[in-house]
Amino acid sequence: MECNIAAGIETRKAAPSDLAQRIIAQTSKGYHGPAILMLEDGTVFYGRACGASGTATGEVCFNTSLEGYFEVLTDPSYAGQIVTMTYPQIGNYGIDPADVQSAYPGSPERGASTPALRGMVVHDMCPTPSNWRSAISLPEYLKHAGIVAIEGVDTRALVRHLRDNGAQKGIISTEVFALAELAQLLEQAPSLVGENLVRTVSCGEPHPYTAADLPANHAFASAPAPEQAHYRVVAYDCGIKRGILEGLVRVGCELTVVPWDTPAEDVLAKHPDGVFLSNGPGDPDAVEETYSQVEKLIGKVPLFGICLGHQMISLACGAEMEKLKFGHRGGNQPVMNLISHRVEITAQNHGFGLVFPSLGALVPELSGGVSEHPADGDLRFWVERGVAPVVENERFGRIRLTHVNLNDGTAEGIQLLDQPAFSVQYHPEAAPGPTDAHYLFTAFTRLMDGDADYLNIDIAKDRLAGWVFATE
């Protein structure tokens, strides 16, 4: 149920009678107390509690994935956010702890496996999962983890509101229902813009991650790592997902994971074959301690960045970032690969994006003869022409646009042509999501091998390389 106090309209359902509460309590669903969601613009949604009791504030966003709610829930990139799942029923296949994405040692602020997000919004929460791998139901997990959640919300109306008006601060509560008091609490909550959330999700000390750390529970589906690692890689942990660590290990990398603010000199002293820059939450402009180190690493060692790591490389090159209206979150984002001219269906989770023209002026002879960036900023201009444009960057030479989001024409990937570095805005680890972008892990190994054509990979063939198929 929804109301808008700014318009002076408020409607709410009457509380169930004692008899109705007793009847509901005898069902598999069970009776749960009321909950409320208020947005920064005054829009209010009423529902039922389906997680921990309490009050939580954060930026309200939405994820369009049909599955993978547990991977979303435990993704450190959601720090500071209240996540709305657009699929109508959430929790129907339960939770296997082996799928957790944030269980790494050395995070003093939040512990090893506590979800970083602030809250969850769903239409219908399933309390009785059916799945051979399930060890606990989603609502039970939320209660144990202390995550406030609300169900019974018209998530279609909420998502349309966010698409029309943009992502904004919100507050969920199972204990405060006075709208004026909620509005006051919400006003006092910090904004996502300008806040460094990476420091809250990064590891505290360097630690290894090798083939021995791969979860045995995934062996039935995932191909094993090489018996002998071929590359020594230092991975900056800005909120890294375990699925990404697994993807790197499975292509032959032996990892040393380091905190987000590790000096470049300390990284180079380890003599790595490559450096990986991870995903992470929040405003990239607020993570200066990382991108200032990346600027020192470019040209010294091969670099690969994903999501926030892509933004760190871009900022190190002097680029500008923009806050997207409602971001990209889900496992169904179409991206055009301007190198292979194939469309990749990708998994994404970010609210900020690279302003590609800010990297430099176009090089016409390498950009299909075009000398000016499209006036409206829509990079589908290059998709229509089948051109991967190149700019001249003041710091690091030529930089090529390699990937474009087909939904809104934003930048999704770049390649430094005069330095060994590349990055993408989306996630190749398929946790959750499709496997179209698996080739990016292989591309990183080819870059470390010195292959100048490292991005020229048969995507369709490579995407199958990481999986085990049953044989009779």
Side-chain angles (χ1 to χ4, degrees), residues 102-443:
S102 59
Y104 303 111
S107 182
E109 294 89 352
R110 63 186 179 90
S113 59
T114 303
L117 86 175
R118 302 275 175 80
M120 178 169 275
V121 181
V122 303
H123 176 67
D124 178 48
M125 177 70 76
C126 178
T128 53
S130 177
N131 176 15
W132 66 275
R133 296 183 67 227
S134 177
I136 186 174
S137 73
L138 179 54
E140 288 178 293
Y141 178 86
L142 292 169
K143 291 175 184 176
H144 292 322
I147 301 300
V148 182
I150 180 173
E151 69 169 328
V153 171
D154 185 346
T155 51
R156 296 170 300 177
L158 174 56
V159 169
R160 286 171 179 167
H161 187 83
L162 295 176
R163 284 181 62 90
D164 291 341
N165 300 281
Q168 53 189 287
K169 287 196 299 182
I171 183 168
I172 301 178
S173 184
T174 65
E175 55 191 8
V176 178
F177 295 94
L179 300 185
E181 185 177 352
L182 285 170
Q184 184 177 11
L185 291 171
L186 186 53
E187 185 178 359
Q188 296 169 354
S191 170
L192 196 66
V193 177
E195 185 178 7
N196 184 351
L197 291 168
V198 167
R199 70 171 79 245
T200 70
V201 295
S202 179
C203 61
E205 298 291 338
H207 62 91
Y209 195 95
T210 67
D213 297 301
L214 295 175
N217 309 53
H218 291 174
F220 77 95
S222 300
E227 293 184 4
Q228 181 68 39
H230 304 297
Y231 311 95
R232 296 190 311 276
V233 173
V234 173
Y236 271 86
D237 179 6
C238 296
I240 199 165
K241 295 178 67 178
R242 191 173 68 182
I244 291 176
L245 293 173
E246 292 174 13
L248 290 167
V249 167
R250 292 186 194 282
V251 293
C253 298
E254 182 178 81
L255 303 175
T256 300
V257 183
V258 299
W260 66 287
D261 56 353
T262 301
E265 295 76 12
D266 292 355
V267 170
L268 294 173
K270 299 180 184 297
H271 304 291
D273 298 308
V275 172
F276 174 76
L277 305 165
S278 85
N279 62 293
D283 185 348
D285 283 313
V287 197
E288 183 177 0
E289 291 91 333
T290 301
Y291 67 76
S292 62
Q293 302 309 314
V294 174
E295 186 174 359
K296 299 176 185 178
L297 292 170
I298 294 177
K300 304 289 180 57
V301 63
L303 294 174
F304 174 33
I306 287 175
C307 201
L308 185 73
H310 161 73
Q311 296 164 358
M312 293 297 96
I313 289 178
S314 300
L315 285 167
C317 294
E320 297 175 7
M321 294 293 144
E322 63 178 340
K323 181 77 164 65
L324 302 178
K325 186 175 181 180
F326 46 79
H328 303 148
R329 298 176 182 88
N332 51 5
Q333 293 279 336
V335 168
M336 172 60 78
N337 182 324
L338 297 175
I339 305 299
S340 67
H341 301 289
R342 290 198 179 203
V343 174
E344 303 168 26
I345 303 302
T346 67
Q348 304 201 15
N349 172 20
H350 60 102
F352 294 80
L354 162 67
V355 180
F356 178 69
S358 66
L359 284 171
L362 287 170
V363 181
E365 58 270 26
L366 298 177
S367 306
V370 179
S371 59
E372 298 291 336
H373 291 284
D376 60 1
D378 190 335
L379 300 179
R380 286 172 293 190
F381 172 92
W382 303 108
V383 175
E384 295 170 357
R385 286 157 181 77
V387 173
V390 176
V391 300
E392 185 66 36
N393 182 258
E394 292 182 356
R395 298 183 183 180
F396 297 112
R398 299 169 302 159
I399 299 178
R400 171 188 286 156
L401 177 69
T402 56
H403 299 81
V404 172
N405 189 296
L406 293 177
N407 281 341
D408 61 8
T410 52
E412 292 281 3
I414 59 172
Q415 176 189 18
L416 278 62
L417 297 182
D418 299 319
Q419 311 293 339
F422 75 110
S423 60
V424 293
Q425 184 63 77
Y426 53 97
H427 287 243
E429 81 284 352
T435 60
D436 294 28
H438 178 274
Y439 73 96
L440 292 166
F441 293 122
T442 304

